[in-house]
Amino acid sequence: MVEIATLDGSRASLGAAEIAILRNNLRGGVILADDADYDGARRVWNGNVDRRPALIARCANAADVQHAVNFANQSGLLVSVRGGGHSAPGYGTNDGGMVIDLSPMKAINIDPDKRIARAEGGVLWRELDQATQAHGLATTGGTVSNTGVAGLTLGGGLGWLMGKHGATVDNLISADVVTADGTFRKASATEHPDLFWALRGGGGNFGVVTSLEYRLHPVSQVLGGLVLHPLDRAADMLRFYRDFCATLPDEAEAYAALLTSPEGVPMAAMVLGYNGPIEEGERVLAPARRFGQPVADLVGPMPYGARQTMLDAPNAEHGLHRYWRSAFTEQIADELIEVMVEGAARFSSPLSALFLFYLHGAITRVPAAETAFGARRAQWDFDAIGQWTEGSESATHIAWVREIWGRLEPHLQGSAYINHIAADDRPEKIRASFGENHRRLREIKAVYDKSNLFRVNSNIPPA
Ligand SMILES: Cc1cc2nc3c(=O)[nH]c(=O)nc-3n(C[C@H](O)[C@H](O)[C@H](O)COP(=O)(O)OP(=O)(O)OC[C@H]3O[C@@H](n4cnc5c(N)ncnc54)[C@H](O)[C@@H]3O)c2cc1C
């Protein structure tokens, strides 16, 4: 007998015979709490998420996913879907329910002539980048290399190529999905176009995506790197940065961060990139590199794959403890800068950071109603990232984020990138973040997931 958490929040139990049926059906296998590999299998990227699902369905293919979804329906289990396991609130797991774990699904196929990639639902960005870069190709992907392609894509997909090639969803050609009734469907512009629209920004609300097909672009040698300033020049740097962003062509990206150097010194950084002819990039990025008196200028030519791992330390490390808050802003007000700099001077952990990611160019030129991802204005995605090593110190570091967030929030919008919304953000923030698209998303949710089986996410209630 295994005790389980059900969809309606009550407890129930599963008998050995029922579990044996699932075991027999799944090529990838089922892991239970008393299995030797349970502890490793239940962990996700955020060490502060310490949950104990009743069973983990390791899916080796789409048929396994169908069996897992059907089993969840029959037994009333609470369900989480895990792609790369990188969700900061830990939506890739739960307490007492089932995890549909796609991590064994790693197939990648590249058609270099047609410039198309197909990746299964357990692929990570570093795996897809490596496969596409072998052909001098890439699509817009996440800036930390072990983020899952599936979760990131379903929320929209921000990355170094978004100015030139749009969001990840703007490059999605089709997706294979197992919907809540266990049916396998292909979603594209011509097949289930309503589902395809919702998948491009609606998060994990509409089914389990087993495979994604992307449009690729020629991308090889790029410019990338950080320019670092001392924290006492951070305010000037951030004021320069906000004006500099307005000058960027589509090929360029500029993010900004307040963080702590490996030597333990709080710093201000501009994180720069250019995807195009290197000489032209040098010219475009020159004002940011000439500004003030940087203590280090680490910008230089590098393969795109290397730039994709530039922010990995310490952000890719599995098991560190994390707590994030996030919102969009169309302006970097002087008051925002003031709170940022003051907050960075009091970082409770050297691994914490305040980040501004700039959205501009191609990603902003798609009409907001064309995909479920509707954040189509030039703006910054602002992230207050709490990150620390010791679980016993969680209260201190979470308090630092919450305290500074209380003072940052009045200078930010009430909406956020859906993939960065915290579990303790108000439900109105989810609604506001989907904006005008929320009503249509609710209607499509009612068609494909009336019982809200897929609810461990930034949830869209069925209409
Ligand atoms: C360090 C870090 C850096 C990040 N950088 C970026 C960035 O540069 N750009 C960006 O856009 N985002 C970024 N993100 C946010 C990231 O996109 C989300 O955390 C995303 O949800 C991670 O996807 P995953 O598959 O790894 O997560 P998981 O934890 O596996 O899942 C997260 C959510 O997606 C759903 N999901 C996952 N796989 C599937 C699937 N196959 N089918 C259906 N639903 C699924 C889950 O149910 C869950 O709700 C970053 C996050 C972190 C922690």
Side-chain angles (χ1 to χ4, degrees), residues 214-268:
Y214 298 101
R215 196 170 300 115
L216 303 174
H217 311 275
V219 180
S220 49
Q221 197 74 351
V222 296
L223 267 181
L226 282 75
V227 180
L228 291 160
H229 291 265
L231 192 66
D232 62 9
R233 300 297 314 281
D236 286 347
M237 189 207 81
L238 288 169
R239 281 191 286 268
F240 165 83
Y241 165 77
R242 78 180 162 203
D243 299 337
F244 178 65
C245 283
T247 71
L248 296 179
D250 290 359
E251 289 78 7
E253 295 295 339
Y255 305 159
L258 302 184
L259 38 73
T260 304
S261 73
E263 294 75 32
V265 184
M267 307 283 260

Side-chain angles (χ1 to χ4, degrees), residues 61 68 93 178 211 308 356 411:
N61 52 35
T93 186
V178 175
S211 174
Q308 281 294 84
L356 285 155
H411 311 297

Side-chain angles (χ1 to χ4, degrees), residues 375-449:
R376 301 296 191 170
R377 288 179 303 278
Q379 59 188 337
W380 288 270
D381 160 38
F382 185 100
D383 296 291
I385 301 175
Q387 195 156 235
W388 60 99
T389 53
E390 300 303 321
S392 57
E393 295 174 1
S394 294
T396 305
H397 302 297
I398 291 172
W400 175 81
V401 177
R402 287 197 173 132
E403 191 279 325
I404 191 174
W405 192 252
R407 291 183 297 122
L408 290 164
E409 212 170 12
H411 311 297
L412 300 166
Q413 285 164 214
S415 62
Y417 175 38
I418 205 73
N419 270 346
H420 289 174
I421 289 184
D424 53 352
D425 270 321
R426 292 180 299 277
E428 306 88 77
K429 188 160 169 180
I430 299 179
R431 208 188 160 293
S433 301
F434 286 119
E436 297 290 311
N437 290 336
H438 192 252
R439 192 177 51 80
R440 186 171 175 204
L441 282 164
R442 289 196 61 189
E443 287 164 8
I444 298 172
K445 176 83 172 172
V447 173
Y448 292 98
D449 185 14

